[in-house]
Amino acid sequence: MKLSEMYQQQLEEIKKQERQEGEKLGLDRGIEREGRAMIESILQVRFGAVDLQLATIINPLIAMNREEFTPLLLQLSREELLARFA
């Protein structure tokens, strides 16, 4: 095998890995956006609006899985949610 062929194969493998990493990053961002939208929607329905105080608890909630954060959002009061994530 010629050196240029080996170089081309390595270059193609690097490009393939970069594409796969980019796809995974895009998927992760999409999942995070979906979770954020879901949390914001529930907060808006329950409390009328997402003010600055409620906005501070969104990131900690996103870090949880849906099975964990959904009952919290549906069952805890505004004050309980703020106290839990403050």
Side-chain angles (χ1 to χ4, degrees), residues 78-86:
R78 175 189 171 90
E79 292 74 23
E80 291 169 324
L81 283 168
L82 293 173
R84 181 170 180 141
F85 294 101

Side-chain angles (χ1 to χ4, degrees), residues 12-52:
E12 288 301 316
E13 185 61 33
I14 290 170
K15 288 179 181 178
K16 179 181 174 185
Q17 289 174 351
E18 287 175 349
R19 274 193 308 273
Q20 290 172 341
E21 290 172 5
E23 289 170 359
K24 183 180 180 329
L25 181 61
L27 181 60
D28 290 345
R29 286 183 180 163
I31 290 170
E32 183 178 331
R33 274 192 296 253
E34 179 185 340
R36 177 178 296 280
M38 175 189 273
I39 290 167
E40 287 177 351
S41 178
I42 294 171
L43 290 171
Q44 286 174 346
V45 169
R46 292 225 36 228
F47 306 115
V50 179
D51 60 16
L52 290 176

Side-chain angles (χ1 to χ4, degrees), residues 53-66:
Q53 283 185 315
L54 288 175
T56 64
I57 69 170
I58 293 174
N59 285 336
L61 287 165
I62 290 172
M64 303 169 79
N65 63 47
R66 288 183 189 180

